[in-house]
Amino acid sequence: MEISGGEEGAEFGGPRGERMLVPSLKVQDLIEEIRGAKTQAQEREVIQKECAHIRASFRDGDPLHRHRQLAKLLYVHMLGYPAHFGQMECLKLIASPRFTDKRVGYLGAMLLLDERQDAHLLITNSIKNDLSQGTQAVQGLALCTLSTMGSAEMCRDLATEVEKLLLQPSPYVRKKAVLTAVHMIRKVPELSTVFLPPCAQLLHERHHGILLGTITLIMELCERSPAALKHFRKVVPQLVQILRTLLTTGYSTEHSISGVSDPFLQVQILRLLRILGRNHEESSETMNDLLAQVATNTDTSRNAGNAVLFETVLTILDIRSAAGLRVLAVNILGRFLLNSDKNIRYVALTSLLRLVQSDHSAVQRHRPTVVECLQEPDTSLSRRALELSLALVNSSNVRAMTQELQGFLQSCPTDLRADCASGILLAAERYAPTKRWHIDTILRVLTTAGAHVRDDAVANLTQLIGGAQELHAYSVRRLYCALAEDISQQPLVQVAAWCIGEYGDLLLEGSCEEIEPLQVEEEEVLALLERVLQSHMSLPATRGYALTALMKLSTRLRGDNNRIRQVVSIYGSCLDVELQQRAVEYDTLFRKYDHMRAAILEKMPLVERGGPQVDEEAKESKEARLLEAAPVPTEPQASKLLDLLDLLDGPSEDAQHPRPLDPSPGGALVHLLDLPCAPPPAAPIPNLKVFEREGLQLSLSFVRPPETPALLLITVTATNTSGGDVTHFICQAAVPKSFQLQLQAPSGDTVPAQGGLPMTQLLRILNPNKAPLRLKLRLTYTHFGQSVQEIFEVNNLPVETWQ
Amino acid sequence: MSSVHIQVSLSVSMHCGSGSSNLLLLRDISSFSVRMNSPLGTLRSAWSRWLSLSHKMKCSFIEYKDFKLIYRQYAALFIVVGVNDTENEMAIYEFIHNFVEVLDEYFSRVSELDIMFNLDKVHIILDEMVLNGCIVETNRARILAPLLILDKMSES
């Protein structure tokens, strides 16, 4: 490296000029040249020329200038150009006795060499020599490089050297050795045994650098092994003492930053205390006073103080702290939230999110401020505010919150839209005060952000509307108006088309108390649906919805059906095969089976959420009616009708041709063709009790919806017959890789005692390969004041769940 | 498990015709370089998107993929530190200021040109303060001591 500029240049002027046509540049000159380049191409030219020089110089093996060449190479590397040919030079420089050479060599090793390069192991020997025999500065260099790029083999080889350095008198080397030990433990966990004993002694040091490193080392050790964690709980009093000393020391020029003495060390100690105090009553008690002291005495006018305070709050919230202390922590967070500094607000929002599960009511108090933060232009802040707002929605504030969130949805940046939309829908589902409000909310979300909602929103809404009989007229009117305004939002169009198809007669009636009277002509409705069909914005699925809706309207409307018949026959030659097939079938319905049309296109029964569970008896009776009503169809016609059943999605099954419960794929076809001897529908799968402990029982019930044979729905039900409530109940599941698992939100996280309301949770498992099902469950909960964690595999899964 | 990977990068806006800003990476901690080098392009685009917001409205922490960027602006110079989730953001914010103060003391009112032309010294300072992503020394005098000795040795 150029330490003294001019003299070296003069030294080499002579020989340089003779050997090479162009004298090589000094580092400064190179930098200037690069900066002088006006375009990227120019810069590349300069650099390529220089790299050629450097390569030639490396080949020549000139020891005097090697460090300068490598320095230039490193600069070029930093700009992003390839520099791998300098790797061997690093080795040579490290081995050289001159400090300047070593300095550049080690720097090069840090930047150019890493585990993936073969050359890196070659420096192990050099490092070993430097660590044992070098001066302090050289030892420092070696330690720095080792801790940055040391691979596992290197660490094993050099562990003893580093251990020796830990006990050396010089603090300069020791602080670096401690952090190198941290790196070694990360690479080779077995070395923990080597580095654990010195920690206790190192904690007695007064040098802050060593203390900082030691605490990091202890944190690393504790995180790796619970035995170490137990061992280090003994030092909690000592840590408390160190922190107390830091707090009570007055202004010391050495460590004071903005009036706080060594905030970095304070933060590290607090982090370690957090790790040690978690889930451990005794340690937490020891820390209580200290934490209160830190929280109240830290000066919060500057950032350093706030950093320490923040760490304190995190620690208080994580350990088993006294109630008063927790309240203090939440209040501090509240103060942070009201602060005008954006950073502090961000930090407060993040912590409150962590807190919202356990201290919900405390966080609720700050709801207005959180909602205000939604308006922040900075995405980091608004994202956090969104997450927190969604977590704060509950049954009492759902209307107000949804209002705010919908306002946010209209103006929020695109990457947050999907989260916001699905959050609103989820909140609406959980806490909707009335069905009408629910429908309104979903409608609004679909209108504002239809493209970003999840796929099942359509199904949910149709199911919801279907279930709310009194709101049919209202829904169909609103949807009609929304559709008339805008046919581009696909989920909205799909739901609207379905609704108009189902309840078209209500739309035309003209009277409905809840909404302004709307005069709609038949022709308008048909025209609208045709527009949807023809629009280039409509997805194929949407067009399918529209076509089916048109067909259904043929029975609902009073006029003649010429227009509908026309459309249907036109689409009989549509290029989209799906659409074409449907159109042809509908056409056939008009022409040959007109007497059945009304029955087939009747209003649909309500579909159960999570797969149709049609009553068995009703099915059998309907099958009997089918046998009577239909003349024995010839095979092609039957297959057409069955294809009709195949095509219609889950919710649009019609009443008279129910799918049989037989889960195998070809079942439908076989079933109807076997008219005389219909096989009985499959028996429901029996429930399975999987877990029982101290009165808490977990049982699974299974459903295989017939039209999706790969899908298995498991409902986990938790009941509690003991005397104590089970709280913070979380159930997680794991399945083999070939399966897809989706866990829906549980009904709650508390199972009340004495046989109170059980908690249920739905698991959806997709098993396309029909592989044998294996299920592992993990439960965490608090019962009788103890936290329990159970992991177990569910045995005795009935074969019907996956076959 | 939760490790601090501090990567300090200096962004110096090059005063060339296009007015683009280059992100210069001073230090790639090895386990981090794999992640930082490949999405460099996307990092730059995220950076330029962010630059368009006005200063008062911005919070100093940017979330990028699964780690956070904490930055601080000093006139034309941006110092960006990438950390993972477990770090105390405000402490890192303070650390950046500490770093700049050290540079200030060494170079007496540091400017971007000082840093550009004395990269080796800046590397030495950084190595004194951060070791493999962990903060090792924050006291100005102790950080600069070896460097001053080195300077004295080379002068004599």
Side-chain angles (χ1 to χ4, degrees):
Chain A
M1 273 305 202
E2 300 287 358
I3 293 184
S4 53
E7 292 135 36
E8 288 191 31
E11 238 179 78
F12 305 130
R16 257 288 157 261
E18 281 161 3
R19 261 204 282 183
M20 300 172 71
L21 287 166
V22 182
S24 75
L25 297 169
K26 288 197 286 208
V27 186
Q28 325 272 51
D29 299 336
L30 176 63
I31 300 178
E32 283 213 26
E33 253 196 59
I34 294 179
R35 282 178 62 95
K38 296 275 187 309
T39 62
Q40 269 257 303
Q42 234 182 335
E43 182 181 298
R44 237 175 306 156
E45 227 183 275
V46 169
I47 288 179
Q48 270 174 4
K49 223 176 10 159
E50 195 52 40
C51 281
H53 281 308
I54 296 177
R55 264 193 289 250
S57 159
F58 285 162
R59 262 200 319 269
D60 291 340
D62 175 8
L64 288 173
H65 305 125
R66 207 179 273 142
H67 71 270
R68 185 204 284 173
Q69 306 293 16
L70 191 63
K72 285 189 280 189
L73 189 60
L74 291 177
Y75 184 81
V76 159
H77 168 77
M78 192 181 68
L79 290 174
Y81 295 89
H84 45 273
F85 50 90
Q87 285 168 9
M88 292 311 287
E89 306 306 313
C90 296
L91 303 179
K92 295 186 197 153
L93 281 171
I94 292 175
S96 138
R98 287 174 55 189
F99 183 75
T100 40
D101 284 352
K102 275 195 199 285
R103 168 83 213 138
V104 183
Y106 273 121
L107 184 62
M110 273 195 273
L111 293 177
L112 299 177
L113 289 175
D114 57 37
E115 287 181 11
R116 295 167 297 169
Q117 319 296 340
D118 298 325
H120 82 278
L121 280 173
L122 299 172
I123 67 172
T124 315
N125 217 24
S126 306
I127 295 187
K128 197 181 207 137
N129 288 338
D130 284 336
L131 285 179
S132 44
Q133 294 153 15
T135 60
Q136 278 189 28
V138 169
Q139 285 172 329
L141 283 179
L143 285 170
C144 189
T145 308
L146 179 57
S147 68
T148 309
M149 45 77 69
S151 66
E153 296 90 45
M154 286 172 73
C155 291
R156 276 198 206 98
D157 288 338
L158 298 166
T160 36
E161 294 297 331
V162 174
E163 198 194 338
K164 264 192 275 174
L165 289 175
L166 276 180
L167 307 165
Q168 253 207 13
S170 149
Y172 177 79
V173 174
R174 283 167 87 184
K175 69 187 182 192
K176 299 198 181 203
V178 175
L179 285 171
T180 313
V182 174
H183 173 82
M184 289 183 150
I185 291 179
R186 283 184 194 150
K187 285 284 174 196
V188 186
E190 296 84 52
L191 289 175
S192 317
T193 43
V194 172
F195 291 116
L196 198 138
C199 288
Q201 190 193 349
L202 285 169
L203 264 186
H204 286 104
E205 291 298 320
R206 309 200 46 206
H207 187 271
H208 282 209
I210 301 182
L211 273 179
L212 205 53
T214 313
I215 293 182
T216 316
L217 181 58
I218 298 180
M219 277 202 287
E220 192 67 34
L221 287 168
C222 290
E223 275 165 15
R224 295 206 170 253
S225 96
L229 184 61
K230 234 192 276 187
H231 171 83
F232 281 114
R233 288 223 171 93
K234 288 185 268 155
V235 305
V236 169
Q238 203 176 351
L239 292 170
V240 167
Q241 189 52 39
I242 299 175
L243 193 49
R244 197 165 268 143
T245 325
L246 276 177
L247 284 175
T248 48
T249 322
Y251 177 77
S252 92
T253 37
E254 262 195 26
H255 301 294
S256 172
I257 295 186
S258 320
V260 179
S261 81
D262 208 341
F264 301 104
L265 185 57
Q266 290 195 25
V267 164
Q268 286 290 79
I269 295 181
L270 286 165
R271 273 176 78 180
L272 181 55
L273 286 177
R274 184 155 84 232
I275 297 177
L276 293 176
R278 205 177 273 156
N279 285 331
H280 195 244
E281 281 292 343
E282 212 187 296
S283 313
S284 309
E285 255 175 278
T286 333
M287 297 177 214
N288 271 331
D289 288 336
L290 174 68
L291 291 172
Q293 196 182 352
V294 176
T296 40
N297 286 355
T298 312
D299 170 23
T300 54
S301 55
R302 308 286 297 277
N303 185 58
N306 283 326
V308 174
L309 203 53
F310 175 49
E311 198 69 39
T312 317
V313 167
L314 288 179
T315 305
I316 293 179
L317 296 174
D318 239 359
I319 65 173
R320 300 272 183 89
S321 47
L325 205 53
R326 277 187 99 87
V327 169
L328 181 61
V330 177
N331 286 344
I332 294 177
L333 282 180
R335 262 195 356 245
F336 273 4
L337 200 55
L338 295 169
N339 198 313
S340 52
D341 185 340
K342 306 288 176 216
N343 295 344
I344 299 185
R345 276 197 168 186
Y346 175 86
V347 143
L349 285 172
T350 324
S351 326
L352 284 175
L353 190 59
R354 278 191 235 182
L355 202 52
V356 81
Q357 293 297 334
S358 42
D359 296 76
H360 194 88
S361 46
V363 186
Q364 277 286 355
R365 255 183 286 134
H366 302 290
R367 192 169 59 81
T369 330
V370 173
V371 168
E372 236 182 78
C373 291
L374 278 175
Q375 310 301 329
E376 293 282 348
D378 186 309
T379 354
S380 309
L381 275 174
S382 49
R383 182 194 301 271
R384 293 278 163 210
L386 176 65
E387 282 173 16
L388 191 51
S389 311
L390 287 173
L392 283 178
V393 176
N394 64 19
S395 37
S396 47
N397 60 25
V398 66
R399 283 190 200 251
M401 286 298 279
T402 321
Q403 193 79 356
E404 295 281 347
L405 287 168
Q406 278 175 335
F408 178 61
L409 187 60
Q410 281 174 330
S411 53
C412 74
T414 18
D415 37 351
L416 290 180
R417 277 196 165 195
D419 291 326
C420 191
S422 40
I424 297 179
L425 291 180
L426 202 64
E429 207 176 288
R430 272 189 173 166
Y431 302 113
T434 60
K435 282 204 170 163
R436 182 178 152 176
W437 180 89
H438 195 177
I439 292 177
D440 279 343
T441 311
I442 303 188
L443 202 57
R444 228 181 123 181
V445 172
L446 286 181
T447 335
T448 329
H452 301 271
V453 296
R454 273 179 27 208
D455 297 329
D456 57 355
V458 172
N460 286 347
L461 185 54
T462 51
Q463 197 260 351
L464 183 64
I465 294 179
Q469 196 152 17
E470 65 283 7
L471 291 170
H472 284 170
Y474 171 74
S475 330
V476 73
R477 252 165 250 277
R478 291 236 24 215
L479 282 166
Y480 178 78
C481 297
L483 188 61
E485 274 180 36
D486 173 18
I487 60 170
S488 64
Q489 303 265 31
Q490 295 304 297
L492 182 65
V493 173
Q494 288 173 4
V495 176
W498 179 86
C499 220
I500 293 176
E502 279 292 300
Y503 310 121
D505 46 340
L506 295 175
L507 181 60
L508 297 168
E509 259 168 38
S511 69
C512 172
E513 328 80 50
E514 307 201 35
I515 203 175
E516 282 155 32
L518 179 68
Q519 249 330 81
V520 181
E521 298 297 325
E522 285 182 16
E523 295 301 313
E524 287 175 11
V525 179
L526 295 178
L528 185 58
L529 283 175
E530 278 173 40
R531 243 178 72 205
V532 172
L533 262 180
Q534 288 158 9
S535 160
H536 60 280
M537 292 185 281
S538 303
L539 296 174
T542 316
R543 291 160 125 196
Y545 271 94
L547 190 61
T548 313
L550 269 176
M551 198 56 200
K552 288 187 201 169
L553 282 180
S554 71
T555 48
R556 314 268 197 267
L557 302 182
R558 268 161 277 140
D560 66 358
N561 293 326
N562 283 333
R563 191 162 173 181
I564 299 180
R565 288 188 71 152
Q566 242 185 346
V567 174
V568 164
S569 60
I570 291 176
Y571 275 85
S573 45
C574 168
L575 283 176
D576 182 341
V577 178
E578 267 270 326
L579 224 49
Q580 183 189 84
Q581 189 166 9
R582 282 181 204 231
V584 167
E585 286 156 10
Y586 292 155
D587 205 33
T588 320
L589 215 61
F590 269 123
R591 278 189 278 118
K592 292 201 191 152
Y593 295 97
D594 210 35
H595 53 283
M596 285 194 355
R597 188 165 46 89
I600 292 182
L601 297 172
E602 235 179 44
K603 288 231 176 84
M604 289 172 13
L606 179 60
V607 176
E608 283 295 321
R609 182 84 71 90
Q613 272 176 307
V614 186
D615 199 7
E616 279 171 38
E617 297 161 17
K619 275 219 169 154
E620 282 176 355
S621 66
K622 282 172 192 160
E623 279 156 13
R625 263 188 283 138
L626 172 65
L627 289 173
E628 293 167 13
V632 178
T634 58
E635 221 184 276
Q637 249 85 350
S639 64
K640 275 210 185 126
L641 279 174
L642 292 165
D643 291 337
L644 193 72
L645 294 173
D646 275 337
L647 279 182
L648 297 171
D649 331 324
S652 36
E653 271 169 33
D654 60 62
Q656 203 158 22
H657 295 268
R659 275 291 175 81
L661 266 176
D662 185 347
S664 60
L669 185 61
V670 170
H671 187 102
L672 270 180
L673 286 181
D674 263 333
L675 290 172
C677 45
I685 309 172
N687 287 2
L688 187 66
K689 185 159 132 186
V690 297
F691 176 75
E692 147 98 68
R693 180 176 160 161
E694 296 173 324
L696 174 70
Q697 290 168 350
L698 213 69
S699 68
L700 306 178
S701 61
F702 306 93
V703 171
R704 297 277 303 263
E707 71 288 347
T708 34
L711 181 64
L712 169 68
L713 300 162
I714 303 183
T715 309
V716 178
T717 313
T719 46
N720 183 1
T721 52
S722 72
D725 286 347
V726 166
T727 53
H728 300 103
F729 185 88
I730 299 176
C731 171
Q732 293 161 317
V735 290
K737 280 212 173 68
S738 56
F739 294 77
Q740 281 173 40
L741 172 65
Q742 202 184 29
L743 279 135
Q744 301 204 337
S747 63
D749 70 344
T750 306
V751 191
Q754 315 279 8
L757 192 66
M759 185 226 78
T760 54
Q761 183 167 14
L762 187 64
L763 277 66
R764 295 169 67 102
I765 298 183
L766 259 176
N767 180 8
N769 306 328
K770 295 213 178 297
L773 175 64
R774 294 176 56 198
L775 183 66
K776 218 175 201 180
L777 289 177
R778 174 171 181 256
L779 309 174
T780 49
Y781 58 89
T782 313
H783 196 193
F784 299 125
Q786 276 185 328
S787 58
V788 179
Q789 181 184 303
E790 290 272 353
I791 305 179
F792 56 88
E793 182 157 351
V794 177
N795 303 315
N796 312 322
L797 281 169
V799 165
E800 300 89 332
T801 52
W802 51 270
Q803 247 176 5
Chain B
M1 210 208 96
S2 63
S3 45
V4 174
H5 289 293
I6 297 190
Q7 172 178 344
V8 181
S9 39
L10 294 186
S11 159
V12 179
S13 49
M14 305 281 261
H15 301 289
C16 40
S18 56
S20 63
S21 39
N22 281 338
L23 208 60
L24 305 176
L25 290 151
L26 250 195
R27 169 80 81 251
D28 277 354
I29 311 296
S30 59
S31 53
F32 219 46
S33 62
V34 180
R35 290 147 82 194
M36 280 304 270
N37 272 331
S38 38
L40 187 56
T42 45
L43 183 55
R44 272 189 224 217
S45 64
W47 190 246
S48 45
R49 242 189 306 134
W50 167 88
L51 275 177
S52 55
L53 281 180
S54 100
H55 184 59
K56 281 291 182 310
M57 308 298 209
K58 285 187 284 217
C59 138
S60 300
F61 316 131
I62 302 176
E63 284 164 33
Y64 179 74
K65 300 206 177 168
D66 55 347
F67 50 92
K68 289 192 261 231
L69 297 174
I70 300 170
Y71 77 93
R72 224 172 155 154
Q73 182 180 14
Y74 293 91
L77 196 61
F78 285 89
I79 301 198
V80 182
V81 179
V83 296
N84 65 6
D85 284 348
T86 55
E87 278 308 300
N88 181 337
E89 297 95 343
M90 296 174 63
I92 303 291
Y93 194 71
E94 197 58 43
F95 174 73
I96 298 178
H97 191 67
N98 194 11
F99 177 56
V100 173
E101 277 183 356
V102 173
L103 289 178
D104 230 6
E105 189 173 315
Y106 183 70
F107 289 111
S108 11
R109 317 263 318 273
V110 66
S111 72
E112 32 182 285
L113 288 180
D114 285 324
I115 299 180
M116 286 281 282
F117 283 99
N118 293 293
L119 274 179
D120 50 323
K121 307 269 176 48
V122 179
H123 266 298
I124 295 179
I125 292 178
L126 195 55
D127 280 339
E128 288 293 322
M129 292 182 82
V130 175
L131 210 67
N132 188 30
C134 309
I135 303 178
V136 63
E137 184 66 70
T138 53
N139 178 300
R140 280 208 296 269
R142 287 202 212 123
I143 294 170
L144 293 176
L147 195 51
L148 296 172
I149 295 176
L150 213 58
D151 287 347
K152 226 185 285 183
M153 267 175 26
S154 58
E155 273 166 35
S156 57

